[in-house]
Amino acid sequence: MLPQKQAEEAIVSNLSETEHEGKEQQKEEDHSLFSVKTFLWHGGSVWDAWFSCASNQVAQVLLTLPYSFSQLGMLSGILLQIFYGIVGSWTAYLISILYVEYRSRKEKENVSFKNHVIQWFEVLDGLLGPYWKAAGLAFNCTFLLFGSVIQLIACASNIYYINDNLDKRTWTYIFGACCATTVFIPSFHNYRIWSFLGLGMTTYTAWYMAIAAIIHGQADNVQHSAPTKLVLYFTGATNILYTFGGHAVTVEIMHAMWKPQKFKYIYLMATLYVFTLTIPSAVCVYWAFGDELLNHANAFSLLPKTRFRDAAVILMLIHQFITFGFACTPLYFVWEKVIGMHDTRSICLRALARLPVVIPIWFLAIIFPFFGPINSAVGALLVSFTVYIIPSLAHMLTYRKASARQNAAEKPPFFLPSWTAMYVFNSFIVVWVLVVGFGFGGWASVTNFVRQVDTFGLFAKCYQCKPPPAPPATAAAPKH
């Protein structure tokens, strides 16, 4: 009992700086209740973190889940959403525990993080050493890079269903320039209003999809034959793995909180809300269109064109801009640290320094415009390690010694109060994701991705667009 009490006292003392900052922020809000800047720009509460997690967790992937259901079948689609939602919430919990452990250890050494944003690779470095830092940095940055690419591809894919006068590649050029403006948003503190609006936009889109599919009814001769092929089944499964693996920015969201130790169950609460968006919309659209979705990765392409659909497209475009910023901001931080600009207070100088990060994202979105299949490939090859395997292994190794467990800043949760039980569950996640997610999922998603390259080619001008109408036949000239 005594060691646990001492550990609790250590947590209070070591995070006192953060709590003090939180109180100062709250005092500022009390004194400037109607301050527009405070309300819109500077957030760090539990609610801000919840909105950030829920908003970031599901964006363009919402439009591809019916496509995944057409590969998996109805039952598998629902069960895998619930399974990966729970597993993803657990690994987000592990990341939050490791963050608190790292921060408490560093603050015992009188290290200040006042002008420094802690990132996941730094947590791994502090707890497990440089090799883990390198692994965390490589997987996390690559995942966030392609996560940003996916948002840019989704922007072009969606706007095409409102205005098809321009091809999707041209729209990618345009939205790449628009998304580059996220360089001006300093940190996750400043996403308060954007997170709130983003979640509202996703909620509208999800329920529009469900209601529109029900009103439309089942298509003529609709079939629900999935699952039919292993390659399609595991491709769909890895897209769902990707859906609930959006916590590559968990540490940055935690660091933006006034009291980071309150984050522990926020991601679970966000996931429970996200279930109310992803499951009904995917079920209804798959019920209405069935196997036809196999050739339509974006659900908007099958829903009837109405002003409600156009509104959903526009709202999703705005939300994808927000999610692009969420995915890119940690990359901005890494780049700033590399070039020595992270402590610069000038927003304009930091924005200028960040621009080189956007250029490769723009280029990759033009090379691989495969909306849908790219989600599965990123899920299998990157999310498997970044979000599921590395956090589970890191937690097991950090607390492998009895002394580390005894002095842990956070003890096992009330619903799993045994270190042994935590080790068993973490081991299960590592084995499952390594075999099913990375192994079978990697094989299936890469096979499907290569098939898209063979069919449409790199730099495809308009992926999965309707072919242009054939020119009218000219009458043959009369013979003389």
Side-chain angles (χ1 to χ4, degrees):
M1 191 71 188
L2 185 60
Q4 184 174 355
K5 185 177 180 181
Q6 289 172 343
E8 289 171 355
E9 290 172 354
I11 297 169
V12 173
S13 62
N14 291 325
L15 294 178
S16 60
E17 181 183 337
T18 304
E19 294 200 13
H20 177 70
E21 289 175 7
K23 289 176 183 176
E24 291 297 319
Q25 296 290 349
Q26 288 170 331
K27 284 180 183 177
E28 287 179 18
E29 287 194 354
D30 291 339
H31 288 302
S32 56
L33 189 61
F34 299 104
S35 167
V36 175
K37 182 179 178 182
T38 300
F39 176 71
L40 300 179
W41 188 247
H42 198 85
S45 67
V46 170
W47 280 107
D48 287 313
W50 183 85
F51 276 115
S52 293
C53 289
S55 177
N56 183 53
Q57 191 168 347
V58 58
Q60 53 74 36
V61 76
L62 183 71
L63 306 175
T64 67
L65 287 174
Y67 167 68
S68 295
F69 271 49
S70 71
Q71 298 168 320
L72 291 164
M74 190 78 78
L75 181 60
S76 290
I78 295 171
L79 293 178
L80 283 172
Q81 281 203 42
I82 295 170
F83 173 75
Y84 281 119
I86 292 170
V87 172
S89 299
W90 173 256
T91 55
Y93 171 80
L94 297 181
I95 291 171
S96 72
I97 296 302
L98 293 171
Y99 169 89
V100 172
E101 182 69 39
Y102 167 78
R103 184 156 183 170
S104 63
R105 289 185 188 183
K106 286 296 180 182
E107 289 180 346
K108 284 178 185 177
E109 301 169 5
N110 296 319
V111 177
S112 174
F113 296 105
K114 189 172 183 181
N115 294 319
H116 182 91
V117 176
I118 298 173
Q119 294 189 266
W120 176 229
F121 69 90
E122 294 170 316
V123 173
L124 291 173
D125 185 27
L127 297 178
L128 296 172
Y131 292 110
W132 280 86
K133 173 186 176 180
L137 187 61
F139 278 107
N140 217 45
C141 287
T142 309
F143 168 43
L144 290 170
L145 179 77
F146 277 96
S148 304
V149 168
I150 289 169
Q151 299 308 321
L152 200 49
I153 294 169
C155 286
S157 177
N158 289 344
I159 192 64
Y160 182 78
Y161 296 114
I162 289 182
N163 185 339
D164 59 2
N165 293 324
L166 299 177
D167 58 74
K168 291 181 181 179
R169 187 168 65 193
T170 304
W171 281 119
T172 303
Y173 294 141
I174 294 169
F175 278 98
C178 295
C179 290
T181 59
T182 58
V183 297
F184 289 101
I185 302 177
S187 74
F188 283 98
H189 277 299
N190 312 113
Y191 274 94
R192 163 172 276 187
I193 190 63
W194 295 114
S195 298
F196 175 76
L197 292 175
L199 189 58
M201 294 167 186
T202 311
T203 301
Y204 170 88
T205 303
W207 285 106
Y208 154 74
M209 288 168 61
I211 294 169
I214 292 171
I215 292 173
H216 178 277
Q218 288 192 313
D220 295 336
N221 301 316
V222 65
Q223 293 183 335
H224 301 87
S225 58
T228 56
K229 297 179 181 178
L230 279 178
V231 67
L232 293 178
Y233 187 88
F234 285 108
T235 300
T238 50
N239 188 41
I240 293 179
L241 177 146
Y242 169 84
T243 302
F244 294 96
H247 40 289
V249 296
T250 297
V251 170
E252 289 83 0
I253 292 173
M254 281 188 71
H255 192 82
M257 292 179 68
W258 297 323
K259 297 182 179 180
Q261 65 271 35
K262 289 189 174 183
F263 183 87
K264 288 185 291 185
Y265 303 118
I266 288 176
Y267 200 88
L268 175 62
M269 297 299 107
T271 299
L272 293 177
Y273 179 78
V274 166
F275 281 152
T276 68
L277 307 181
T278 58
I279 294 176
S281 59
V283 165
C284 292
V285 176
Y286 178 56
W287 167 82
F289 297 102
D291 292 351
E292 196 175 351
L293 284 157
L294 286 168
N295 297 315
H296 295 82
N298 191 328
F300 281 148
S301 64
L302 290 176
L303 293 170
K305 182 174 175 59
T306 63
R307 65 180 183 275
F308 298 107
R309 193 194 74 165
D310 289 350
V313 170
I314 292 168
L315 292 177
M316 283 303 290
L317 286 172
I318 300 170
H319 186 241
Q320 281 151 8
F321 166 82
I322 297 166
T323 310
F324 182 94
F326 265 109
C328 256
T329 298
L331 294 176
Y332 296 152
F333 292 155
V334 172
W335 179 245
E336 288 170 356
K337 291 171 185 177
V338 169
I339 64 174
M341 294 285 287
H342 189 56
D343 296 329
T344 304
R345 292 197 172 271
S346 169
I347 291 178
C348 291
L349 280 177
R350 289 180 72 182
L352 192 62
R354 290 171 169 188
L355 276 175
V357 176
V358 180
I359 295 170
I361 294 170
W362 207 349
F363 186 63
L364 288 168
I366 295 165
I367 298 176
F368 305 116
F370 310 124
F371 185 73
I374 195 173
N375 293 17
S376 297
V378 170
L381 304 179
L382 298 172
V383 176
S384 293
F385 286 93
T386 304
V387 170
Y388 297 99
I389 294 173
I390 290 178
S392 300
L393 285 175
H395 187 273
M396 293 166 69
L397 292 174
T398 299
Y399 299 109
R400 65 189 183 278
K401 295 180 180 178
S403 58
R405 295 192 294 272
Q406 186 177 7
N407 298 315
E410 291 281 350
K411 300 301 179 186
F414 69 92
F415 55 86
L416 202 66
S418 163
W419 286 104
T420 303
M422 290 186 75
Y423 268 65
V424 170
F425 192 47
N426 287 343
S427 300
F428 166 76
I429 292 172
V430 170
V431 173
W432 174 274
V433 176
L434 194 61
V435 174
V436 177
F438 177 71
F440 290 108
W443 160 73
S445 59
V446 170
T447 300
N448 189 39
F449 191 83
V450 170
R451 188 177 297 154
Q452 305 304 312
V453 174
D454 291 340
T455 304
F456 297 95
L458 299 176
F459 298 97
K461 191 173 183 180
C462 208
Y463 176 67
Q464 286 189 341
C465 297
K466 292 180 180 178
T474 58
K479 293 182 181 180
H480 296 289

